[in-house]
Amino acid sequence: MPRRSYDQFCAIARALDVLGERWTLLIVRELLGGPRRYSDLLADLPGISTDVLAARLREMEGDELITRRPIGTRGTASAYELTGAGTALTGVVEALAGWGSDRLEARGATDAVRGHWFALPLALRFGELAGGRDGVVEVRLEEGVFHLGLAPVTYADGAAARPDAVVATDHGTAADVASGRATLPEAVRAGRATVTGDTPLAGALSGRAVAV
Amino acid sequence: MPRRSYDQFCAIARALDVLGERWTLLIVRELLGGPRRYSDLLADLPGISTDVLAARLREMEGDELITRRPIGTRGTASAYELTGAGTALTGVVEALAGWGSDRLEARGATDAVRGHWFALPLALRFGELAGGRDGVVEVRLEEGVFHLGLAPVTYADGAAARPDAVVATDHGTAADVASGRATLPEAVRAGRATVTGDTPLAGALSGRAVAV
DNA sequence: CGGCATCCGTGACGATACTG
DNA sequence: CAGTATCGTCACGGATGCCG
């Protein structure tokens, strides 16, 4: 039985037929950082219920956004991973992150937070500071470490092999930078973040002049 | 009473709190071409019910995506128009259009069509042909005329004051070009589209060499 | 005619409990 | 750990009615 569709011969409506249901794009947000297991997704999507997560994963598999891969030696454990079409959604999620950053001003009392939720917004800000040049930035927060590619924007869990710059901060400062309340150089000057590295990119991120 | 929120301190979740409900982004799609009246929206959003349209418009006004402006001499007629924050959604809708174009292959039996639904996908394709240069392209379909700015992508109803190129075709060909099944130069050679103008942009769109 | 409000049937969603 | 089963609630879609 086909799911509910807008029944419009329109690229935007077609995209929303697949992506428009609740939670789908947030699952994509999680998987953009790399493969995740069911319980990982459940933990980083606070508010989703178990049946809805299972249903979305099945639908997204049918829509060829994700694949499930058996993991571990024995047992039922699986990892969910974006396909090529799923990874191609980076631009969509990036656009949403850019637009939504302006509405990130206040943290509500009931709002959950995860460190890697700031990956894409930070990548956009870092890309501005870098003036469009590419580079790999490793970001270290209390909750974990991830690394970003700036042009084009990519994002993956864990430390980078050879980062051009390493940014260490807390998620409060990350939120301030992501939302535009502060710039990264301002945060560095205020002692709320550190930027390590001797590359031009590290200089641009920290606001220091660095010899090329 | 606040609407349903994801309650996540995340730019993407914040964006989806505002944009994620059914029909909202399709209303944005309509309004990106300029102000529209309630009955215009009802006509170009086949499948929406009257109460849902009214509810969305009120929510979007509260979220400062749109404003309503009284129109005409007397009477209750209003025009709905995007605010600055609403217009800033061009990048989001553009990203969705780019991703959804690949899934536009077949027109379903129950699919509705409108000419201006191809505006943003066509603008992306024309932008590729133009090699990133700006320019104004007027598009003439049976259902109406609109014009596109290529870099950055804009879209408005009606004819352009001084278009750099004029493309005339039918919406079937527009769909083929938008989805990538055909390129515009191929459609021109097949006699399914015409490109008028003596500018480099017109040359790039038609596949002809044009003297600068 | 434009701009909704009301009523109603269906289906999606959210919370919890339960199972292999 | 990775889901399925159950159930109450709410959003959506369709039809109709109202009112300036």
Side-chain angles (χ1 to χ4, degrees), chain B residues 1-38:
Chain B
M1 190 150 76
R3 242 176 322 157
R4 182 168 51 173
S5 160
Y6 285 111
D7 277 338
Q8 298 186 358
F9 193 56
C10 163
I12 300 157
R14 282 284 202 278
L16 293 174
D17 280 344
V18 175
L19 306 173
E21 275 174 313
R22 198 164 163 74
W23 294 108
T24 301
L25 279 167
L26 292 185
I27 295 174
V28 172
R29 174 194 71 186
E30 295 300 315
L31 294 179
L32 280 175
R36 290 279 189 292
R37 299 189 301 176
Y38 182 90

Side-chain angles (χ1 to χ4, degrees), chain A residues 12-86:
Chain A
I12 300 157
R14 282 282 201 280
L16 293 173
D17 281 344
V18 175
L19 308 172
E21 275 174 313
R22 200 165 162 75
W23 295 108
T24 301
L25 279 167
L26 291 185
I27 295 173
V28 172
R29 174 194 71 187
E30 293 302 314
L31 294 179
L32 280 175
R36 291 277 189 293
R37 298 191 301 174
Y38 182 91
S39 50
D40 299 329
L41 293 171
L42 204 61
D44 282 341
L45 292 166
I48 201 172
S49 53
T50 57
D51 57 344
V52 171
L53 176 56
R56 286 294 171 281
L57 291 172
R58 249 183 287 113
E59 294 162 8
M60 293 171 74
E61 198 181 358
D63 289 328
E64 300 183 335
L65 296 186
I66 62 172
T67 55
R68 64 184 295 172
R69 189 163 41 82
I71 206 172
T73 57
R74 64 183 184 283
T76 59
S78 299
Y80 298 90
E81 191 169 9
L82 290 177
T83 63

Side-chain angles (χ1 to χ4, degrees), chain A residues 29 32 53 59 63 67 70 72 77 90 104 106 116 120 125 132 147 157 182 186 191 194 203-204 206 212:
Chain A
R29 174 194 71 187
L32 280 175
L53 176 56
E59 294 162 8
D63 289 328
T67 55
T90 304
L104 202 59
H116 66 274
L120 283 168
R125 301 289 179 185
H147 57 281
D157 271 334
E186 285 169 4
T194 64
S206 62
V212 185

Side-chain angles (χ1 to χ4, degrees), chain A residues 8, chain B residues 23-50 52-58 60 66-68 78-82 114 116-117 155 157:
Chain A
Q8 297 184 359
Chain B
W23 294 108
T24 301
L25 279 167
L26 292 185
I27 295 174
V28 172
R29 174 194 71 186
E30 295 300 315
L31 294 179
L32 280 175
R36 290 279 189 292
R37 299 189 301 176
Y38 182 90
S39 50
D40 299 329
L41 293 171
L42 205 59
D44 282 341
L45 292 167
I48 200 173
S49 53
T50 58
V52 170
L53 177 56
R56 287 294 172 280
L57 290 172
R58 252 183 286 110
M60 292 170 75
I66 63 173
T67 56
R68 65 183 296 172
S78 300
Y80 298 89
E81 191 170 8
L82 290 177
R114 298 292 185 278
H116 66 272
W117 289 350
Y155 146 54
D157 272 333

